[in-house]
Amino acid sequence: AQSVTQPDIHITVSEGASLELRCNYSYGATPYLFWYVQSPGQGLQLLLKYFSGDTLVQGIKGFEAEFKRSQSSFNLRKPSVHWSDAAEYFCAVSGNQFYFGTGTSLTVIP
Amino acid sequence: DVKVTQSSRYLVKRTGEKVFLECVQDMDHENMFWYRQDPGLGLRLIYFSYDVKMKEKGDIPEGYSVSREKKERFSLILESASTNQTSMYLCASSFTTGVGNTIYFGEGSWLTVV
């Protein structure tokens, strides 16, 4: 069965520090993978997506993600976090349906 | 840019009321979705539609119905609102499911049932 797991419910980082949010998926075929960000009280905004090709994909707001088939992972990274990055982050996989993780809440401290 | 518009951002309704949540997309997407989002539970699919007048149940359809009379519009209906339907509701749309799709979300509708 298809599924997405985000192991970290909540992460706190200092402003300027690097960030990595973890995502593991279970999908039988070639996955199509996404990261979304949700600011408080808002809908989900697409950060980046992976369909094929280069396994390192660049997104908006300075985010990138790396697809690792051997680890069934699609981790999101940012070299230097800004206070405005505080939000909820969702990983998703698309096949016949869209499957979302339960999200990781990011807190940024000064 | 893709635009998914949810007509009501904040609603307060009484128990037993009939509630309509409206969603419009401007990208000629075939598929439209209604999700419910609750703390700790992530996004749960209520219903989706892959064509006009077509609908499929998602994971939590009980207590909800939907209507899609035009391709761009997808409505979520709570026939008799209950307090356990207090939640954030997200509408989304995409081209035909399958490979290479991207799903786009509206801003969300906060519903409080009192």
Side-chain angles (χ1 to χ4, degrees):
Chain A
Q2 296 87 348
S3 67
V4 176
T5 301
Q6 294 179 246
D8 304 305
I9 296 173
H10 185 251
I11 285 182
T12 299
V13 298
S14 298
E15 191 168 15
S18 64
L19 171 70
E20 183 169 29
L21 302 182
R22 296 184 291 164
C23 173
N24 294 99
Y25 67 89
S26 173
Y27 190 71
T30 301
Y32 297 88
L33 296 157
F34 307 82
W35 274 100
Y36 290 84
V37 60
Q38 184 181 35
S39 298
Q42 302 296 314
L44 277 68
Q45 180 185 18
L46 179 68
L47 277 177
L48 49 78
K49 57 188 177 183
Y50 170 77
F51 288 166
S52 65
D54 193 345
T55 56
L56 185 64
V57 293
Q58 303 297 321
I60 61 171
K61 306 186 181 190
F63 285 92
E64 66 178 26
E66 186 171 13
F67 169 59
K68 293 185 177 180
R69 184 186 299 274
S70 61
Q71 299 177 19
S72 297
S73 70
F74 188 56
N75 294 348
L76 182 71
R77 301 195 294 248
K78 187 170 185 178
S80 178
V81 170
H82 188 263
W83 63 266
S84 60
D85 293 323
E88 188 94 15
Y89 291 81
F90 292 91
C91 181
V93 63
S94 164
N96 293 325
Q97 284 285 352
F98 291 91
Y99 300 90
F100 290 87
T102 51
T104 297
S105 177
L106 174 66
T107 297
V108 180
I109 56 177
Chain B
D1 279 355
V2 175
K3 189 73 172 176
V4 180
T5 303
Q6 296 183 229
S7 56
S8 303
R9 290 299 315 277
Y10 303 95
L11 306 93
V12 180
K13 299 292 182 181
R14 295 192 181 278
T15 299
E17 275 193 81
K18 191 169 186 176
V19 181
F20 293 86
L21 300 180
E22 306 287 343
C23 175
V24 176
Q25 51 94 3
D26 67 355
M27 280 299 292
D28 204 34
H29 284 163
E30 293 88 1
N31 301 309
M32 296 189 74
F33 308 82
W34 276 105
Y35 289 89
R36 172 175 172 162
Q37 184 179 18
D38 299 288
L41 298 178
L43 278 71
R44 294 182 290 169
L45 182 64
I46 305 172
Y47 269 98
F48 70 97
S49 168
Y50 53 89
D51 200 352
V52 174
K53 298 191 185 294
M54 306 304 289
K55 61 184 179 183
E56 292 284 344
K57 293 180 180 179
D59 300 318
I60 53 162
E62 296 79 16
Y64 303 94
S65 63
V66 291
S67 173
R68 192 164 180 203
E69 297 296 319
K70 293 185 177 181
K71 189 174 185 179
E72 68 272 17
R73 188 178 298 270
F74 192 35
S75 302
L76 179 69
I77 303 157
L78 287 66
E79 295 289 344
S80 178
S82 64
T83 55
N84 63 12
Q85 292 179 309
T86 292
S87 188
M88 164 82 136
Y89 291 88
L90 289 164
C91 177
S93 70
S94 76
F95 285 116
T96 305
T97 52
V99 300
N101 263 314
T102 301
I103 187 169
Y104 297 93
F105 287 86
E107 291 292 296
S109 297
W110 285 96
L111 172 66
T112 301
V113 182
V114 298

